[in-house]
Amino acid sequence: MDEWALLVLVVLAFPVMALVGFIMALRSRGRIRLLEARVAALEAHAGLAPAAASPAWTPMPPAEMPQPKESPLARLARPPEPPAPVAPAAEGGEMPTVPPARPQPESTQPVLPPPPAIDPAKLKERLAGFEEKVGARWAVWVGGLALALGGVFLVRFAVEQDLIGPGLRVSLGLLLALFLLGAGEWLRRREGKDPAAPITSLRGLVPDVPSILTAAGTMTAFGSIFAAYELYHLIPPQAAFLLLAATGVATLLAALLHGPALGALGFVGAALTPFLVTTSSPNAWGVALLIAVVGASALGVARIRRWRGLALLAIAGVVAWGLTLIAFEVPQAVTASGALGLVLLALTAALLAPGFLWGPEAGERPEPVSILGAVGALAVMAAAAVDGNVAAGPLAVFVVGAVGVLALAWRVRPMTFATFAVALLAPAILTQWVFPPDAGSTLAPAGPMAGAVAEPERLSIGHFMVFAFAMGALMLSAGALGAGRGGRSRTVLGWAVTGTVGPVLMLIAAYARLTELERSLPFAALALALAFLFTLGAERLLNAARTHAATVFAAAGVVSLSLALTFALEKGWLTVSLALAACGVAWVSTIRPLPGLRQFSAALGVVVLSRIVWLPTIAVDPGATPIFNWLLWGYGVPTLAFAAAAFFLARSRDDWARRVHECLALIFAMLLAATEVRHLAHGGDIYAVGTRLFETGLLAVVYGAYAVGLSRLANVTGRGFYRLFSDIVAAAATVCALNGLIETNPFATGEAVGGPIFNDLLIAYALPAGLAVAFAAGQPVTRPRVRTAGWVIAGVLALAYVTLEVSRLFQGPVLAGDAISSAEWYAWSAAWLVFGMVLLALGLWRGSRTLRLASAAVMVATVLKVFLSDMADLEGVLRAVSFIGLGLVLVAMGWVYQRLLAREKGAATPGGPPSV
C-alpha cells in the first residue's frame, strides 16, 4: 500500500517539476529578450547604423591601406572625444563661416527596414498570463487532487490495519470536513475577496483556494454521512436523508460566499440524496419536498448572485426528478410530481421572470432561463396528468399550470415563447385520454378480477369535450388579444402562433381520439367555424397593422378549411387537403400580400411530401382498379394543386417559394406515374416484392416521355429548372431501361414476354429506344455529350429489341439461353446486318453522320460475331450463307461509302467535278 501511495505522489511530482522548470526557462528567455531589446534601443538612440554601402566602383588610393571596421559595441566602449575648439567670433559679432559639407554619394543598395521592436510590456503580459495560468490555476487543482488522494490513502491504510473503528472513522471524517470548511472560511475572510467578483486572468477564471477547501470539506461531509448509513449502518435512513439534504442546502448557502462552483456541487449532492438513501417504503412526497427545498435554495442563490448556470442546473434537476418519480412508479408520484411542477412554476415567476416580483430587470429580448423554467414545470404537470390516466386531480393541476403560464407570459413579455408549451402539451393530453369503462363495449374491464382492484377515477367523454373546448378557446382568445395588443414583432408573432397552432392541434387530437380517423361531419363543421374565426382575426389584425400576426391567422384559416375537407371525406384526404391548403395559401397571397404567406405555402407543400414518404399509398388500400383508383386522387390532385400554386405565385415574382411548388408538382407527377405503373404491374399490390420486365419497361417509357416533354419545355421557356428536371427524369428512365437488360432480362428471369409482336419486349426496349432518339434530337447543340449519350442508349436498346424479338419468333413466349438453335444463332447475324443497313439508309436519307457511325458500329459487332462465333458454332450451309451474306453486305456498304465520300469531297472542293 505504501509503495502505491509513493508511486502516485511521484507521478504527481513529475508534472509539477516539469511545469516549474518550464516556467524558469520561459522567464530566463524573457529576460534575454528584454536585454536584446534594450541594446537595440541604445543603438538606435546613439545613431549607430551600419556603414553605407560604397558606390558600384570607386578608385582606391594606392598608398592608403584599408582600416578594420570598428564594431558598434567598441564605439560605445571608447571614451568620448573632447569637443573641438570653437573659433572666436569675428568683429561685429559674426560667426566664422563654415565651409559647406561635401555631398555624399547616394547608396545604390536598398536600405533594409529596421527589425521589429519587441514590446517589453506585451512580452511581460504574456509571461505573466502563462505564469498565472500555471501557478494560480493548475497548481491549485493538482494540489487539491494530491490532498484528496493523500487523505484517501491515509484512511485506507488505517482501515486495512484496523487501527480505528467505524464510529471513529466517521467522526474523523466529519472532523476533517469541519477543518476544511473552517480553513476555507478563514482564508476567505483573510483575503477579503468578494465572491461576486472572482479573480480573472487572461484566459478565464482562476480557482479560488478558499472555495476549493470548502468544496473538499463539503464532499468529505457527504461521504462521511453516506458511509455512516450505507457502509456501517450507524444511522437510520430517515436521519441520513435529513443530514444529506441539510448538507446540500448548507453548501448552497455557502456558495453565496464561495462562488457558483460550490453551489453546483451542493445542488448535485442534495439532488442525489434520494438515490443514495434507499428504504423499503419510499415516499414520493418526501422526495418532492426535498427537491423543492433544494431547488428553491439553488434558484434563490442564483438570483442573488445572478448565476445563470446554477439556475439552469436547478431547473434541469427539478424537472428530471419530477419525471423520474413518474417513470419509476413511486407511490403517490402523480400528485407529488404535479405539486413539484407547480412549485417550479411559482419559483420561476417569483425569482426568474424579468421585471416581476424579485426577478431580474426586464429587457426587450426573450429570456431563455425563465422560459425554460415555465416549460419544464408545465411538462412535469402534463406528464403527471398522463400517468394518472387523466384523472380529475392531475388534470386540474395541469389546467392551473397552463393558465399560470399564459398569465405570466401576458404580464412578462420576454416569456411569450413559453406559451408554445401550452399549445403543444394540451393536445398531447387529449391523445392520451383514458375514458371510463362502458359495459357492453370494448372499454369495459374484462376477466374474473374486473372490479376487484380499485382503479383511478376516469373522466367521461363530456369532460373530454369540455377540456378540449375550454383549452382551445383559452388559447385562441389569448393569442388574438396578445397579438392585437402590439409590442415587438417577436412577441406579437409568439402570441399569434399560440393562438392558432393550439386550437388546430386540439381539433386534430380530439378528432383522432374520438373518431379513429373516420369520416365525421360534426368535426368538419367545427373546422369550418375555426376557419371563420381565424379569417376574422386575420382581417382585424391586418386593419390594426399587425401584418405578421395577420399572416399567421390567415394561414391557420386555410389549414382549418383543408381540415374540414379531411374530416368530411373518406380515406387519406389529409394529404390532399394539405396540398389544397398550400394552393389556397398561395392564392390568398395574391389577394392579401402579407409577409410570409408565400413561404408558408411552400412549407405546407414540403409537409405533404413528408407525408408521402411516411405512407406512399396515401390510403391504406388504394383499390384494385387499374389507373382509376385512390392513387389517381392522392397524387393527381396534389400535382394539380402545386401547379396551380406555382401559377398563382408567378403573378407577382419568381422566388424560391414558386420554384418549390413547381418542383413539388413535377415530383408528384413522377410519383403518380411510378405508383400507377407498379399498381398495374402487380395487380394492385404496390408493396409486392421484386420487379417484372413489363414494370421496368413501362416505367422507362413513362419517364422517357416525361423527360422529352420537359426538354421541349426547357427549349421553349429557356428555364434551366426544367432542363435540370428533364435530365433527372431521363437518368431514371435510363436506369429502368438498363435494368431491363440486366436484372429483368427474359433470358435471366424465364418469364413469358407475350405475343409475337405486341409484347413486353416492345414496351421494354423498342419504345424506350424511340424516346431516347427523341430526347437526343431535342437537345441543343451546346450539349453534345448529352446528345451522344442519348444516341448510344437508343442504339443499344434497339439492337437488344431486334435480338430478343428474333429469339421470341424462334422460341416462343419463354426465352432460354440454352435453347438457342443454330438457325436462331444465324438469324441473329442476319438481323444485325439488316439493322445496320437500315441505320445506314436512315443516315443517308437524313444526312446524319451519327446514324452512319451507329451503322458502322453494328457492322463491326456483326463481323466479330461471324468470325469469332459463327465460324465455330455453325455448320454446313448456314456457315457458308452467313459468310456470303456478310461479304455481300460489306461490299455494298463499301461501295456506298465510296460514293458518299466522293460526293462530299467534290462538294467541298471549289471547281471540282459535279456530285454524283
Side-chain angles (χ1 to χ4, degrees), residues 496-516:
V497 171
T498 301
T500 54
V501 173
V504 168
L505 291 181
M506 294 292 287
L507 181 63
I508 295 175
Y511 167 75
R513 191 69 181 88
L514 294 180
T515 66
E516 297 182 357

Side-chain angles (χ1 to χ4, degrees), residues 42 96 157 363 443 476 482 734 785-786 878 908:
L42 289 175
F157 174 77
L443 295 177
L476 177 59
T734 303
R785 295 183 178 179
V786 179
L878 291 179

